[in-house]
Amino acid sequence: MRPRYDLPLPDGSVLPLGPRTLIMGILNITPDSFSDGGVHFDADAAIRSAMAMVEAGADILDVGGESTRPGADPLPVEEELRRVVPVIEAIASRVNVPISIDTYKAAVAERAMDAGALIVNDISAFAYDPGIAEVAARRRAGVVLMHNRGRSSNMYEHAVYGDVVEEVGREMIARADAAIAAGVARERIVLDPGFGFAKRAEHSIDALARLAEFHKLGYPILSGPSRKSFLQTGLGERPPAGRIWGTAAAVTASVLAGAHIVRVHDVREMADVIRVADTLLR
C-alpha cells in the first residue's frame, strides 16, 4: 500500500493523497506542445476541454502556457500570462477541483494564483527562477517539484546516470530542501521524477519500473508518463496520440507502485484504467 498524506491548499481545503489515485488532467494552452499543441490554444476550446475533463473524472486541472518539450524556445512572460490567466479565471469559476499552474516563472505563478490556481507545478523544481519559491511560500500553494537537469535546449546532454533512481531521488530531495529553506511548508510538496526530462528512454523506463523506491523519500509522488516518447521502446514508433494504450500500461504500473497523482492527457480513458488498478492495489 502507498503512504498517505494530506496536501493542504491555500483556500483551506485539503487533498487526501493515498486513499485512491488522483487524476491530474493536462490542459496545454500552447500551439506547439509535443502531444496536443494547438488543440486547446483557443481559450473557449480550453474551457470546454477543462469542463469535459472534470466531468470525466479529473481531480486536478494542470494549465500550462509554455511548451517545455526538448528543444523548445523559452516563452516571454507576457505571452504566457496572456495564454493562461483568462483560462484559469474562467475555469476557476466553473469547476470544483483545484487548478494547477504549470510554470517555472515567479510572475506567472503569482498571476495564476490571483486568477484562482492553488498549486504550482514547476518542471525545474524552483531552479530556473528562484523567485517562484517565495511566491509559493507566501501564497501557501501546493507545489509539484519535478526532477530535471539543464534546459529544454540541452537537457539530453545531462542524461547521464549510474543508478537513475538513486540519483534522481537525491536530486529531488535537494530541491525539496531548497524549497523548504525558502519557506515552503514540507507538507505542501509533491515530487515528480520527471519521465522524459533529461532522461533517455532507458532511464525513464527504469525510473517507472522502480517507482515504488521513491516512497523512501517521504513525499507524495506524481507520475507523468502520458504519451511520452519513452513508451515507444515497447510500442515501436508511434505519434503521441497513438500512445494511449502504452500510456494505459504505464499508468497501471504507476498506480500499482503507489503513485499518489497521475498526470494524463486522456482523462476519460485513464480514469477507467486507474479505477481498476486502484482496485488491484487495495
Side-chain angles (χ1 to χ4, degrees):
M1 295 298 291
R2 66 187 143 222
R4 296 196 174 196
Y5 301 91
D6 287 326
L7 179 66
L9 298 177
D11 64 350
S13 64
V14 175
L15 272 181
L17 302 180
R20 64 180 179 86
T21 308
L22 301 188
I23 301 171
M24 176 183 277
I26 300 169
L27 197 65
N28 289 321
I29 318 299
T30 65
D32 57 349
S33 291
F34 87 96
S35 176
D36 57 356
V39 174
H40 305 129
F41 195 47
D42 174 77
D44 289 338
I47 294 164
R48 289 194 298 272
S49 292
M51 302 295 290
M53 286 182 188
V54 173
E55 182 182 358
D59 300 290
I60 306 165
L61 292 174
D62 192 41
V63 179
E66 176 177 349
S67 174
T68 51
R69 73 192 192 286
D73 294 325
L75 189 71
V77 169
E78 296 75 14
E79 175 61 15
E80 190 172 348
L81 289 170
R82 187 191 69 79
R83 294 178 183 184
V84 302
V85 169
V87 172
I88 293 172
E89 286 177 341
I91 62 179
S93 64
R94 292 171 167 84
V95 303
N96 59 356
V97 303
I99 298 169
S100 169
I101 177 63
D102 179 1
T103 189
Y104 56 83
K105 301 182 181 84
V108 175
E110 186 89 70
R111 290 281 301 280
M113 295 198 72
D114 289 342
L118 301 176
I119 299 169
V120 176
N121 178 14
D122 184 351
I123 65 160
S124 80
F126 296 169
Y128 292 171
D129 181 354
I132 198 171
E134 186 277 328
V135 172
R138 174 168 42 81
R139 302 294 295 259
R140 299 184 299 118
V143 302
V144 178
L145 303 179
M146 194 192 80
H147 178 268
N148 202 349
R149 292 174 174 176
R151 293 274 186 162
S152 294
S153 60
N154 66 355
M155 65 173 64
Y156 287 129
E157 296 173 17
H158 300 275
V160 180
Y161 300 91
D163 183 325
V164 67
V165 171
E166 191 279 329
E167 292 174 48
V168 168
R170 184 174 67 244
E171 292 169 22
M172 286 197 296
I173 285 296
R175 297 312 307 159
D177 288 347
I180 292 168
V184 177
R186 191 183 197 282
E187 63 268 21
R188 297 183 188 274
I189 296 174
V190 176
L191 300 182
D192 174 358
F195 303 130
F197 284 81
K199 297 169 189 70
R200 305 285 180 187
E202 61 268 25
H203 302 136
S204 293
I205 290 167
D206 197 12
L208 176 56
R210 298 168 59 194
L211 188 69
E213 295 181 38
F214 290 118
H215 290 305
K216 67 187 177 185
L217 303 177
Y219 290 89
I221 300 299
L222 182 148
S223 175
S226 186
R227 302 187 183 183
K228 294 283 180 70
S229 61
F230 79 88
L231 299 171
Q232 295 180 110
T233 301
L235 294 172
E237 189 171 345
R238 301 274 182 88
R243 300 171 193 160
I244 184 170
W245 298 114
T247 296
V251 165
T252 300
S254 299
V255 174
L256 296 181
H260 297 85
I261 304 169
V262 179
R263 183 177 182 271
V264 298
H265 298 84
D266 306 288
V267 171
R268 188 172 301 279
E269 293 84 351
M270 294 308 125
D272 280 354
V273 172
I274 288 168
R275 288 187 190 102
V276 175
D278 266 338
T279 301
L280 296 174
L281 182 65
R282 287 194 294 270

